[in-house]
Amino acid sequence: MENSSSGPHASGAYRQSVARSESEPGRFWLDAAGGIEWDTPPTVALDDTEAPLYRWFPDGVMNTCFNALDRHVLAGRGETAALIYDSPVVGKKKSYSYATLLDKVARFAGVLADAGVVKGDRVVIYMPMMPQAVTAMLACARLGAVHSVVFGGFAAKELAARLDDAQPKVIVTASGGIEPSRVVEYLPTIVDALALSTGSVATVIVKNRTEVPGSAAEFSFPGTQWWDWDERSPFAAPHPPVGVAATDPLYILYTSGTTGAPKGVVRDNGGHAVAMAWSMENIYDIHPGDVMWTASDVGWVVGHSYIVYGPLIAGATTVLYEGKPVGTPDAGAFWRVVSEHRVKVLFTAPTALRAIRKADPHATLAEKYDLGCLDALFLAGERLDPDTWTWATALLEKPVVDHWWQTETGWAICASPRGLEKLPLRAGSPSFPVPGFQVGIVDEHGTPLPHLAEGNIVIKLPLPPGTLATLWNGDERYVATYLSAFPGYYLTGDSGYFDREGYLYVMGRTDDIINVAGHRLSTGSMEQVLSQHPAVAECAVIGVHDEIKGQKPVGYVVLKHGVTIAEEQLAAELVAMMREQIGAVAAFRDAVVIQALPKTRSGKILRKTMRQIVNGEDYVVPPTIDDPAAIDIIAATVASAAV
Ligand code: COA
Ligand code: AMP
């Protein structure tokens, strides 16, 4: 088994690659740029004239969709499977060859062009895990348009916030998604979001699903035309790929910030395609014809990078799974998909494994399937606890590779890059910095910390290709949020430490972001929702440890003076508000009424201390506390809940 106590050797491929990426970064990344096809190959790697905003491959011209589809067909691999759709929720399985997918994408690009979409226009995609979501993303890329995929679990208000920021010309959607407990109708949400939004959307294109009611013909909104995907697609002229500058945006993906307003991470075309190609080969060891299955959702960065772009740019086969790890129909679903589609690399979130383990602790359902095709299991999205790592390693007898990254970086900051070198793995650690990412640990003054000392994890600028170029409409916000705390470094917002052999340990966030079932959420925006309730004077939302989801949000609320309301009724109203304003994905189910929140004398809520108390961790009462009794109130609330 790949588990020993030593780190990488200086003469090994990993250290050699890191050394070259640091000593001659320009040459390193121009060589990597050879992994994709260019209309005009770049002669310059990095433009740093507007540092700390950097641009990769400034004189390169290419098209991302061409690299994901056309070039494989032109290379004679048109009949290779590009995408396998496997949906236990609708009982469908279908394989699409590269030639078929190219035809569908080129036609849908024609539909978008008929709707007036041209290079640089934004298109919001709000779809469940169906092949048309991938088609729509690639069609945007083909036109040089900028897609912004919004996860289906977000409610109208969150969708409207994204419409306001991205100002899309078109929304592409479906009649709805299927969750195990219910059918989720998307079209009423679209109408509500249009009503809440300040922008104007010219066209909504709807893919009708027989399983979910609702169609383009049944909905309307002033100033917006509604088109039926199936009526338009057959008649649209296939659109050729449009060459774009490497630095032009490919997509905007919104992620939780520390304020209520989501941040639109901007990904460029050229750097992204190069990073995808490099990572498929060197991190995942996936090559043309191999099958990769990323069990996530196209609404998240993991889905963008490793359901859609990475595998297709590599000429591999990607699996699009519309289902859950448990309950569709059972905890053997993942093993069935791996075995049936001969998956070489499975990538999912630790929470999915914990859910499988809870339902099937001894993995007896895995025994039914031949998992010999599986080379490695990659995990990311949240901390992989050593217990789950050990369980999965023993079950699969395969490398279980934790790797750490963020929406902002688009690909792994730290990993065990198996395509380069099969390095020993350690429980609890996502291993080592990937070439191109120079990772450091600093204290609050920016002073580097020694091995084993926990601090802020930072990355030296410039970040490598494929990472965020900026925030949409927000160069200043990008610099203020990420680049100002420690000049010359990108602030990850995570805290952690290196051990003596150079393994990184990522321990948690330093801000108010929490991770619920691998979904990143802002407690700040949840507090904004709770504080709108007429009975609530003030509140704090804290991430509490959860056995399956890693964390769950719990709201602590103080009532306005003189207000009387039954706690159960208040909790139910708050839960309903959260579902309506953020969405079911927030998984907000607990609200607790308390007499006071602990605060500093300047009025700042001591969220960190609250977090430590509710999670049963050691804590020190800060000397700046206003009323120490408030700490006792929280501690007593937690103690009574535990009884
Ligand atoms: N559209 C609409 N609603 C959605 C949704 C979507 N795409 N995805 C989730 N939801 C809803 C669920 O139906 C649920 O609603 P409910 O409160 O009415 O039951 C709510 O959001 C919470 O969903 P979820 O977080 O998925 O919890 P769960 O208890 O239904 O399932 C797991 C738990 C662990 C099985 C599930 O979270 C999971 O599969 N996690 C993997 C996460 C993942 O892949 N993350 C990607 C990051 S790499
Ligand atoms: P997201 O942007 O949704 O991908 O969430 C990114 C955040 O998830 C990171 O900043 C971390 O806090 C957390 N995260 C992702 N992967 C890991 C990992 N392998 N180990 C620990 N935390 C992780």
Side-chain angles (χ1 to χ4, degrees):
M1 209 59 254
E2 297 175 49
N3 192 7
S4 85
S5 57
S6 63
H9 287 284
S11 58
Y14 166 71
R15 282 270 179 250
Q16 297 286 317
S17 182
V18 169
R20 201 161 158 258
S21 72
E22 290 179 7
S23 64
E24 38 179 354
R27 196 65 263 154
F28 183 92
W29 289 114
L30 280 175
D31 284 354
I36 67 157
E37 216 158 293
W38 299 84
D39 299 350
T40 309
T43 59
V44 177
L46 185 70
D47 172 4
D48 60 3
T49 50
E50 289 179 36
L53 302 179
Y54 297 91
R55 300 280 181 270
W56 283 97
F57 311 119
D59 59 350
V61 177
M62 47 79 74
N63 181 277
T64 297
C65 177
F66 178 89
N67 273 280
L69 299 175
D70 304 57
R71 75 163 167 156
H72 306 307
V73 175
L74 291 172
R77 303 188 56 252
E79 293 319 306
T80 303
L83 184 145
I84 298 170
Y85 171 54
D86 186 312
S87 173
V89 300
V90 296
K92 274 189 198 150
K93 289 177 203 169
K94 194 169 174 188
S95 177
Y96 298 78
S97 68
Y98 270 96
T100 306
L101 192 58
L102 172 57
D103 178 60
K104 289 187 180 298
V105 168
R107 268 178 207 289
F108 192 66
V111 176
L112 290 174
D114 290 345
V117 174
V118 295
K119 181 169 149 181
D121 283 342
R122 273 82 57 214
V123 174
V124 159
I125 299 172
Y126 185 69
M127 295 187 92
M129 285 286 284
M130 58 198 295
Q132 288 77 7
V134 179
T135 305
M137 291 167 77
L138 291 167
C140 291
R142 194 166 188 82
L143 293 173
V146 184
H147 62 67
S148 185
V149 183
V150 179
F151 179 64
F154 281 120
K157 193 158 177 257
E158 290 287 322
L159 178 57
R162 287 151 176 80
L163 297 179
D164 284 347
D165 195 59
Q167 296 285 322
K169 200 176 252 181
V170 169
I171 298 177
V172 184
T173 189
S175 51
I178 297 128
E179 285 296 294
S181 55
R182 70 210 145 94
V183 162
V184 184
E185 292 183 38
Y186 282 12
L187 302 187
T189 304
I190 298 279
V191 172
D192 289 349
L194 287 171
L196 289 167
S197 165
T198 54
S200 66
V201 173
T203 310
V204 176
I205 305 176
V206 183
K207 171 70 194 165
N208 192 24
R209 309 186 83 182
T210 45
E211 300 83 6
V212 187
S215 68
E218 293 163 45
F219 285 81
S220 64
F221 188 80
T224 303
Q225 55 181 347
W226 292 65
W227 284 6
D228 183 307
W229 176 303
D230 293 314
E231 277 174 17
R232 297 275 163 175
S233 274
F235 305 106
H239 204 291
V242 175
V244 298
T247 53
D248 281 341
L250 169 69
Y251 69 76
I252 308 167
L253 182 57
Y254 288 89
T255 188
S256 304
T258 48
T259 68
K263 295 181 291 198
V265 166
V266 177
R267 195 86 59 214
D268 66 8
N269 273 275
H272 170 256
V274 170
M276 289 299 101
W278 193 92
S279 64
M280 289 304 294
E281 185 179 338
N282 294 289
I283 296 181
Y284 302 100
D285 200 15
I286 289 278
H287 305 273
D290 288 340
V291 182
M292 180 169 190
W293 173 29
T294 299
S296 176
D297 189 288
V298 290
W300 307 117
V301 68
V302 169
H304 279 60
S305 294
Y306 297 112
I307 296 174
V308 184
Y309 290 109
L312 297 178
I313 285 172
T317 303
T318 186
V319 178
L320 185 83
Y321 174 73
E322 190 184 23
K324 301 273 173 180
V326 293
T328 57
D330 58 30
F334 271 30
W335 318 129
R336 173 194 62 81
V337 174
V338 166
S339 150
E340 201 170 312
H341 304 303
R342 310 314 293 158
V343 171
K344 179 176 171 187
V345 164
L346 166 61
F347 176 175
T348 190
T351 188
L353 284 191
R354 291 194 297 265
I356 293 171
R357 183 182 178 187
K358 185 166 184 222
D360 183 19
H362 304 291
T364 43
L365 292 167
E367 287 164 17
K368 292 203 300 195
Y369 302 102
D370 170 13
L371 303 179
C373 51
L374 192 68
D375 194 50
L377 167 63
F378 280 78
L379 295 163
E382 56 175 318
R383 183 172 144 74
L384 172 58
D385 53 286
D387 203 32
T388 303
W389 182 85
T390 307
W391 179 80
T393 303
L395 156 70
L396 295 170
E397 298 180 320
K398 300 277 162 73
V400 175
V401 187
D402 183 12
H403 60 331
W404 166 63
W405 48 299
Q406 313 180 311
T407 305
E408 290 85 343
T409 64
W411 61 296
I413 310 163
C414 279
S416 180
R418 293 180 53 75
L420 268 178
E421 190 178 346
K422 309 273 189 289
L423 295 165
L425 300 165
R426 273 189 194 177
S429 168
S431 298
F432 311 103
V434 166
F437 291 95
Q438 295 187 51
V439 179
I441 310 288
V442 299
D443 68 11
E444 69 272 30
H445 309 294
T447 309
L449 292 174
H451 289 133
L452 304 179
E454 185 174 334
N456 299 292
I457 314 181
V458 294
I459 310 171
K460 193 165 177 237
L461 296 175
L463 299 177
T467 51
L468 80 169
T470 186
L471 296 178
W472 188 253
N473 296 323
D475 285 351
E476 279 173 23
R477 189 176 177 197
Y478 171 47
V479 173
T481 310
Y482 298 98
L483 309 181
S484 297
F486 306 112
Y489 292 87
Y490 165 87
L491 180 72
T492 65
D494 282 313
S495 88
Y497 63 92
F498 280 108
D499 72 9
R500 290 189 198 291
E501 286 79 32
Y503 287 82
L504 182 76
Y505 292 78
V506 181
M507 304 311 290
R509 297 285 308 186
T510 56
D511 52 21
D512 75 352
I513 286 170
I514 58 170
N515 212 308
V516 183
H519 307 144
R520 172 170 156 179
L521 298 161
S522 152
T523 54
S525 49
M526 294 195 205
E527 289 174 7
Q528 281 180 14
V529 175
L530 298 189
S531 58
Q532 288 166 19
H533 192 286
V536 172
E538 54 184 359
C539 62
V541 174
I542 304 294
V544 178
H545 176 76
D546 181 84
E547 198 193 336
I548 302 294
K549 297 190 177 190
Q551 286 184 299
K552 63 174 181 181
V554 175
Y556 291 88
V557 297
V558 178
L559 297 185
K560 281 183 186 154
H561 190 66
V563 168
T564 49
I565 180 168
E567 190 163 342
E568 272 175 25
Q569 184 195 336
L570 176 67
E573 288 173 12
L574 294 175
V575 168
M577 284 170 72
M578 202 71 86
R579 286 180 81 90
E580 195 185 305
Q581 296 198 34
I582 293 188
V585 66
F588 181 87
R589 296 196 174 104
D590 303 295
V592 181
V593 174
I594 50 171
Q595 286 154 287
L597 292 170
K599 288 188 193 161
T600 61
R601 278 189 285 277
S602 60
K604 201 165 168 252
I605 296 171
L606 290 164
R607 291 184 176 78
K608 184 174 170 200
T609 315
M610 286 181 71
R611 201 161 56 222
Q612 289 167 325
I613 296 171
V614 300
N615 284 306
E617 296 164 10
D618 293 340
Y619 62 94
V620 178
V621 178
T624 52
I625 191 161
D626 183 35
D627 176 11
I631 290 283
D632 301 335
I633 291 171
I634 296 285
T637 308
V638 171
S640 68
V643 175

